[in-house]
Amino acid sequence: MTATINALKEQNEAYLKESNLAQEKSEADSDLKRSTEDILVSLEGKINGKMREFNNVLYPDIRKAPQINLKSHNSYSFYTPDDDGTGTKFKGMFLFDLAILYLTNLPALAHDSLLLSNVSYQATEALFRLYVQSKSLNKQVFLAFDKASSHSPEANQLLLENTVLRLSSNGNELYGISWKKGENSDEV
């Protein structure tokens, strides 16, 4: 009889322990979900605020800034309200990249002029100014840029003052020869 009572007590204790663990797990899951949501809301606010700030630099005539909506740890949406044009999408990418550069420990950013061709000259010049300002944060921006002559004198001045490396044909390639040409080739 004592053995049966002890066995039943052990089963009771195991059940209570299992119930307590299930309750603690449920509470921990709930706390984790709430903490994740709070962190995502905070990140979203910081990123959207910085993109809005930069958007106002690019477009003083008040245009809508891109927005990121962090739905969960593995889901987001990124858009500019009421504008899904190609130039706006590229502008959004530039502003997001810059926001992340300014808000994080990311040391550098790289953009290519092909992307800039979809953004207005006014916005491109303003982007150059934001790139230059990033130096005060000990950040670097690498910009592959061509056709500078089609931009304003102010944009060209910013480029000239901040260019570290200028590549061109006829021996001014990175290693002295064009990667497009073979050593003994007339190929372009």
Side-chain angles (χ1 to χ4, degrees):
M1 178 89 156
T2 306
T4 304
I5 291 174
N6 285 340
L8 290 173
K9 279 183 180 179
E10 284 179 24
Q11 286 178 346
N12 230 6
E13 287 173 6
Y15 172 78
L16 290 174
K17 191 174 192 175
E18 183 181 350
S19 283
N20 285 339
L21 288 173
Q23 177 65 28
E24 287 176 14
K25 181 187 180 304
S26 175
E27 289 171 6
D29 287 345
S30 180
D31 288 347
L32 176 62
K33 184 179 180 201
R34 192 172 34 259
S35 293
T36 301
E37 288 170 357
D38 291 346
I39 290 167
L40 291 175
V41 165
S42 175
L43 287 173
E44 185 179 296
K46 289 176 184 177
I47 294 168
N48 286 336
K50 193 54 95 170
M51 287 192 302
R52 213 172 14 262
E53 175 189 328
F54 291 155
N55 189 72
N56 292 339
V57 171
L58 265 59
Y59 301 103
D61 59 343
I62 304 177
R63 294 192 194 178
K64 292 182 179 176
Q67 295 178 3
I68 192 163
N69 180 0
L70 303 172
K71 299 173 184 178
S72 67
H73 72 281
N74 62 355
S75 176
Y76 72 92
S77 63
F78 187 80
Y79 61 96
T80 298
D82 304 321
D83 191 347
D84 63 354
T86 302
T88 298
K89 289 180 180 181
F90 278 93
K91 171 198 75 168
M93 182 198 62
F94 286 121
L95 295 180
F96 178 78
D97 289 352
L98 279 166
I100 297 304
L101 181 70
Y102 274 69
L103 293 171
T104 68
N105 291 329
L106 188 69
L109 172 67
H111 283 154
D112 189 279
S113 63
L114 176 65
L115 304 172
L116 287 167
S117 65
N118 293 291
V119 179
S120 73
Y121 288 142
Q122 168 198 341
T124 299
E125 188 175 320
L127 275 170
F128 291 166
R129 286 192 297 275
L130 291 171
Y131 291 158
V132 170
Q133 287 176 11
S134 71
K135 289 184 349 184
S136 68
L137 301 172
N138 292 321
K139 308 280 183 153
Q140 290 185 321
V141 174
F142 298 93
L143 175 64
F145 192 74
D146 50 36
K147 299 187 178 136
S149 61
S150 63
H151 287 272
S152 71
E154 293 81 13
N156 278 291
Q157 187 63 35
L158 283 170
L159 286 170
L160 182 64
E161 291 171 359
N162 293 284
T163 296
V164 174
L165 175 64
R166 180 179 299 268
L167 304 176
S168 64
S169 57
N170 300 323
N172 294 317
E173 295 87 0
L174 186 56
Y175 294 104
I177 68 165
S178 173
W179 62 269
K180 294 187 272 182
K181 297 180 183 180
E183 203 170 287
N184 296 319
S185 171
D186 293 334
E187 198 175 18
V188 174

